[in-house]
Amino acid sequence: MQSINLGILGAGLAVKHLHWPALHHLAGMFTITAVCDIDLTAAQEIARLVGGDPVVTTDWDEFFGNSQLEAVLISLPIHLNAAAIRAAVRAGKHVICEKPLAASLAQAEDLVAELRDAPVVIEIAENFHYRSDFKQARRWIEEGAIGTVVIINIIAAFWSDPTEGFASTAWRQDHQYRGAVIADAGVHQVAALREVGGEVEQLHAFTKDVHPVLAGSDSLVLNVRFRSGALGQLLFSGAVQAAEPSFDAITALGLEGTITVRHGVATLHRPNRENVEYRAEDARGYIGEFHNFYHAIRSNEPVVATLDEALADWRIIMGALDSAESRQVVLL
Amino acid sequence: MQSINLGILGAGLAVKHLHWPALHHLAGMFTITAVCDIDLTAAQEIARLVGGDPVVTTDWDEFFGNSQLEAVLISLPIHLNAAAIRAAVRAGKHVICEKPLAASLAQAEDLVAELRDAPVVIEIAENFHYRSDFKQARRWIEEGAIGTVVIINIIAAFWSDPTEGFASTAWRQDHQYRGAVIADAGVHQVAALREVGGEVEQLHAFTKDVHPVLAGSDSLVLNVRFRSGALGQLLFSGAVQAAEPSFDAITALGLEGTITVRHGVATLHRPNRENVEYRAEDARGYIGEFHNFYHAIRSNEPVVATLDEALADWRIIMGALDSAESRQVVLL
């Protein structure tokens, strides 16, 4: 196994809490050889965390100009993603970039049109596209285990604490991208909807802006009609004190049974039959996304979370915001 | 307490399983003195059940012409409700009639315009308007117990068994009213939405027709915006084998807490505080609706489930079907 020299651009919470544990788990696949952040202290902290004496810089051009780097992980405020992906591709680096891929639909469409045939691997790190619990749910549906799928429901309801963690970051509280927490977090649930239900054909949403600190819409009720004919319903709020906070509580209701996904466990329920359970080993998908990135670079394995997948997720989120503003059903 | 001579028109499952137990509980308020059904055997069966030797007839005119009757309970196939309510009022009887009040919105609007000022008591027996668990949820909301209400969610997902019970009746399987099981059963959840969230201002829905026996739409995803600014979301399906079948699982998510209603118990959840529970004594509301009917007749107590309440519920159900057909948001 030939290790990939990976540079990290953006030394924030996602790298520390989400990416580094996965990279550490896949030790041998990646060697962190550079860390870049406008905040030198933050970059140095990540450098210490990953070990091995990576180059630390606050200069993006120096970072992308580093000929040692074969690939880069981009984990920046959302509005910087498109420019950073372009810079990485221009520098000939393979790139794995945090979701969502851009700050607006137009920006995302331009980026994808430009880079779809780029000569490097590009992966948008939407971890929900790597969750084997969702893929098991989809497999059961395709096998007909619950008969005709009637409605797929997802409930994500939690409190975004503005004093600590992700919601405390300045770039989230005063965001420079469309959609606030609905875009930043809700794009995960939309990815889940597509993983389980397939492509979306029509949608409608209402939104609400209620969080006392986070600016912008934070709550969403979304109806979809899948291409398959099934209905979908997403409840999302990052501004509620839920009795049972959830981020990915999925229920697929069918004519002959129900599939639920909770906390990494997919369960198939059918009348008069024992439940069947599937437990995901990598319940959050972070290991899967770096594993895929490595093999896409080294073994020409197809990327799972492509630019087009990210664009399809983003179209639904941006369509939901359009629908809420225009009071119209949006056709995709 | 002066007992009311009550006639029963329609000797079906609702009378047997829902109304009679409540009337029996309120013995002394009502004396069943007549039973009418086109099926003589069914009428005789109900007559035996209620006891006291009521007049049994298959002739609607004879039934309404019975001068002994002070009030009538109408429990007929939905498409007959409007005509039966008119006949009752014309005969000078107080009337309690099963929900929904009519077979279409136009029919409902005509009926309500005509009878709003009728000189008799008219109650539409939507039992959800009598549920004290819902009223407690509303009271907590009005007291500010969960802060700003963000989203009210209701999930009703169950299998309509076409071989027994309500879904086995011919008039439901081959319905002569708009909306099939969404109208017949979904109107309850819409009443619950209004009980907990107040009036609805905007709505959108998609529907699906999947049940192998019941004709018409049986599944619905409905988004609403309440006049209060809160969002609402209803998932309804009478065609799914749900892992946990539900008919009235309500969750009101607020900025400072959550209220749930399950199986007659309303619970207030707030961070760092003990849950508060309220258990309804008459969890289904059937006793409440007859109690109110009695006191509306005898003590001029206001009717809770008025024609206008029923019309407001019906506007949402019919609006949801319009929205699904037109792919438009409906403004109420």
Side-chain angles (χ1 to χ4, degrees):
Chain A
M1 189 184 300
Q2 196 199 338
S3 173
I4 291 170
N5 282 346
L6 182 73
I8 295 176
L9 176 60
L13 293 170
V15 166
K16 196 167 171 183
H17 296 297
L18 309 179
H19 304 142
W20 171 243
L23 288 165
H24 186 64
H25 183 90
L26 296 171
M29 287 191 178
F30 298 96
T31 306
I32 314 300
T33 54
V35 179
C36 176
D37 197 290
I38 50 167
D39 178 342
L40 181 64
T41 310
Q44 286 169 333
E45 194 193 335
I46 292 296
R48 270 194 304 277
L49 179 70
V50 305
D53 204 21
V55 176
V56 172
T57 174
T58 59
D59 180 341
W60 159 320
D61 292 327
E62 183 191 325
F63 174 80
F64 283 119
N66 180 337
S67 63
Q68 299 281 303
L69 293 183
E70 195 176 353
V72 296
L73 163 61
I74 297 169
S75 185
L76 293 172
I78 291 169
H79 65 282
L80 302 174
N81 282 356
I85 294 170
R86 278 196 176 87
V89 173
R90 210 175 302 123
K93 314 299 187 194
H94 301 295
V95 51
I96 180 168
C97 177
E98 258 298 340
K99 42 46 64 183
L101 72 173
S104 68
L105 184 58
Q107 202 187 51
E109 286 175 332
D110 288 351
L111 185 77
V112 175
E114 185 185 326
L115 299 184
R116 190 176 278 131
D117 301 318
V120 291
V121 168
I122 305 176
E123 181 181 318
I124 303 301
E126 170 53 70
N127 54 306
F128 276 27
H129 285 312
Y130 289 90
R131 288 185 53 161
S132 60
D133 45 359
F134 298 170
K135 299 217 188 264
Q136 179 59 57
R138 180 78 200 157
R139 205 172 305 125
W140 278 328
I141 287 171
E142 285 170 350
E143 289 167 5
I146 60 168
T148 304
V149 179
V150 181
I151 303 176
I152 295 169
N153 174 265
I154 303 186
I155 295 182
F158 57 92
W159 171 244
S160 300
D161 187 339
T163 67
E164 59 174 17
F166 291 102
S168 70
T169 48
W171 65 269
R172 283 192 175 85
Q173 293 191 3
D174 185 19
H175 62 285
Q176 295 176 54
Y177 48 93
R178 187 175 183 219
V181 68
I182 289 177
D184 179 34
V187 72
H188 287 301
Q189 286 81 35
V190 161
L193 270 180
R194 292 183 56 246
E195 281 295 327
V196 178
E199 296 308 320
V200 168
E201 196 178 82
Q202 305 173 23
L203 66 84
H204 169 268
F206 291 130
T207 59
K208 191 169 168 67
D209 175 357
V210 66
H211 195 287
V213 175
L214 296 180
S217 298
D218 45 60
S219 302
L220 169 81
V221 288
L222 172 68
N223 286 339
V224 308
R225 188 186 289 282
F226 292 99
R227 203 177 285 165
S228 70
L231 306 178
Q233 193 168 46
L234 170 62
L235 182 159
F236 176 92
S237 179
V240 292
Q241 293 286 359
E244 294 172 28
S246 62
F247 200 68
D248 49 7
I250 303 182
T251 306
L253 295 157
L255 201 54
E256 296 166 20
T258 287
I259 297 165
T260 57
V261 184
R262 300 280 187 285
H263 310 298
V265 182
T267 308
L268 171 61
H269 310 256
R270 287 171 295 187
N272 308 316
R273 298 177 70 162
E274 292 240 334
N275 287 348
V276 182
E277 263 191 19
Y278 169 86
R279 288 175 181 274
E281 280 183 32
D282 173 23
R284 301 204 298 171
Y286 296 115
I287 294 168
E289 68 190 22
F290 283 104
H291 192 274
N292 180 218
F293 187 54
Y294 178 86
H295 285 289
I297 295 170
R298 283 287 178 266
S299 333
N300 272 319
E301 186 179 277
V303 171
V304 171
T306 58
L307 286 170
D308 282 306
E309 286 292 323
L311 183 58
D313 297 342
W314 199 233
R315 275 193 210 289
I316 295 173
I317 286 290
M318 295 296 109
L321 299 175
D322 288 346
S323 172
E325 282 171 22
S326 67
R327 295 196 305 211
Q328 300 283 321
V329 172
V330 170
L331 308 184
L332 295 180
Chain B
M1 188 184 301
Q2 195 198 341
S3 173
I4 290 169
N5 282 346
L6 181 73
I8 295 175
L9 177 59
L13 293 170
V15 166
K16 196 167 170 182
H17 297 298
L18 310 178
H19 304 142
W20 171 244
L23 288 165
H24 186 66
H25 183 90
L26 297 172
M29 288 191 178
F30 298 96
T31 307
I32 314 301
T33 53
V35 179
C36 176
D37 197 291
I38 49 167
D39 178 341
L40 180 65
T41 311
Q44 286 169 332
E45 195 192 335
I46 293 296
R48 270 193 305 276
L49 179 71
V50 303
D53 205 22
V55 176
V56 173
T57 174
T58 58
D59 180 342
W60 158 320
D61 291 326
E62 183 190 325
F63 174 80
F64 283 119
N66 182 337
S67 61
Q68 301 282 301
L69 293 183
E70 195 176 353
V72 295
L73 161 61
I74 298 168
S75 184
L76 294 172
I78 291 170
H79 66 281
L80 302 174
N81 283 355
I85 294 170
R86 279 196 175 88
V89 174
R90 209 175 301 123
K93 314 300 186 192
H94 301 295
V95 51
I96 180 168
C97 177
E98 259 296 340
K99 41 49 63 182
L101 71 173
S104 68
L105 183 57
Q107 200 186 54
E109 286 176 333
D110 288 350
L111 186 78
V112 175
E114 184 184 327
L115 299 184
R116 192 177 277 131
D117 301 318
V120 290
V121 168
I122 304 177
E123 181 181 317
I124 303 302
E126 171 52 70
N127 54 304
F128 276 27
H129 285 311
Y130 290 90
R131 287 185 54 161
S132 61
D133 45 358
F134 300 169
K135 301 219 187 262
Q136 180 59 56
R138 181 77 202 158
R139 206 171 304 127
W140 279 328
I141 287 172
E142 285 171 352
E143 289 167 6
I146 60 168
T148 303
V149 179
V150 183
I151 303 176
I152 294 170
N153 175 265
I154 304 186
I155 295 183
F158 56 93
W159 170 243
S160 300
D161 187 338
T163 66
E164 59 174 17
F166 291 102
S168 70
T169 47
W171 65 269
R172 283 192 175 86
Q173 292 192 2
D174 184 20
H175 63 284
Q176 295 176 54
Y177 48 93
R178 188 175 183 220
V181 67
I182 289 177
D184 179 34
V187 72
H188 287 301
Q189 286 81 36
V190 161
L193 270 180
R194 291 183 56 247
E195 281 295 328
V196 178
E199 296 308 320
V200 168
E201 194 177 83
Q202 305 172 22
L203 66 85
H204 169 269
F206 291 129
T207 59
K208 191 169 168 68
D209 174 357
V210 67
H211 194 287
V213 175
L214 296 180
S217 298
D218 46 58
S219 302
L220 169 82
V221 288
L222 172 68
N223 286 339
V224 308
R225 188 186 291 282
F226 291 100
R227 204 177 285 164
S228 70
L231 307 179
Q233 193 167 46
L234 170 63
L235 182 160
F236 177 91
S237 179
V240 292
Q241 292 286 359
E244 293 173 29
S246 62
F247 200 68
D248 50 6
I250 302 182
T251 306
L253 295 157
L255 202 53
E256 297 167 21
T258 288
I259 297 165
T260 57
V261 184
R262 300 281 187 284
H263 311 298
V265 181
T267 308
L268 171 61
H269 311 256
R270 286 171 296 187
N272 307 317
R273 299 178 69 162
E274 292 240 335
N275 288 348
V276 182
E277 263 191 17
Y278 169 86
R279 288 176 181 272
E281 280 183 33
D282 173 22
R284 302 203 297 172
Y286 296 115
I287 294 168
E289 68 190 22
F290 283 104
H291 191 275
N292 180 217
F293 187 54
Y294 179 87
H295 286 289
I297 295 169
R298 284 286 177 266
S299 333
N300 273 321
E301 185 180 277
V303 171
V304 172
T306 58
L307 285 170
D308 282 306
E309 286 292 323
L311 183 58
D313 297 341
W314 199 234
R315 273 193 212 289
I316 296 173
I317 286 289
M318 295 295 110
L321 299 175
D322 289 346
S323 172
E325 281 171 23
S326 68
R327 296 196 305 212
Q328 300 283 322
V329 172
V330 170
L331 309 183
L332 294 180

